[in-house]
Amino acid sequence: MTFVYTGKGSRRAQKDDAPPEQKACANQAVATQWCLAKRGQKQSLCQDFIDEWKSCRVEAIDAAAAKAAAKAADVDVDVAKK
């Protein structure tokens, strides 16, 4: 059986300017790394984890884009009122 280190180590908080998908999908990224380490870096054995991480990234990027668009629209409305 392959040893996979699961200790905390020296974890650091993510930077404030980290991309939204990095912040939102950290758990999926860790699960993917764990799976790959445990299964000898064979992507085919961890495809479910990889697909979940990818879909999380797409959702996070879309949500950030929608939030930015809504914020821009709100700013445009405020400028038009002045």
Side-chain angles (χ1 to χ4, degrees), residues 39-57:
R39 295 189 172 106
Q41 304 299 324
K42 294 182 181 171
Q43 288 186 0
S44 61
L45 298 176
C46 299
Q47 196 60 47
D48 291 341
F49 290 96
I50 295 169
D51 292 341
E52 184 179 344
W53 172 71
K54 285 182 178 180
S55 68
C56 178
R57 287 190 70 237

Side-chain angles (χ1 to χ4, degrees), residues 1-81:
M1 180 181 227
T2 304
F3 172 76
V4 177
Y5 178 72
T6 58
K8 295 212 183 241
S10 61
R11 293 197 63 153
R12 296 183 183 148
Q14 291 188 16
K15 295 181 180 180
D16 291 336
D17 62 346
E21 65 271 15
Q22 181 178 333
K23 291 179 182 181
C25 302
N27 290 338
Q28 289 83 354
V30 170
T32 301
Q33 292 170 351
W34 177 84
C35 180
L36 289 169
K38 186 166 179 115
R39 295 189 172 106
Q41 304 299 324
K42 294 182 181 171
Q43 288 186 0
S44 61
L45 298 176
C46 299
Q47 196 60 47
D48 291 341
F49 290 96
I50 295 169
D51 292 341
E52 184 179 344
W53 172 71
K54 285 182 178 180
S55 68
C56 178
R57 287 190 70 237
V58 169
E59 289 173 14
I61 290 170
D62 290 346
K67 185 177 179 181
K71 186 176 181 180
D74 189 36
V75 169
D76 290 342
V77 170
D78 290 341
V79 171
K81 287 181 182 178

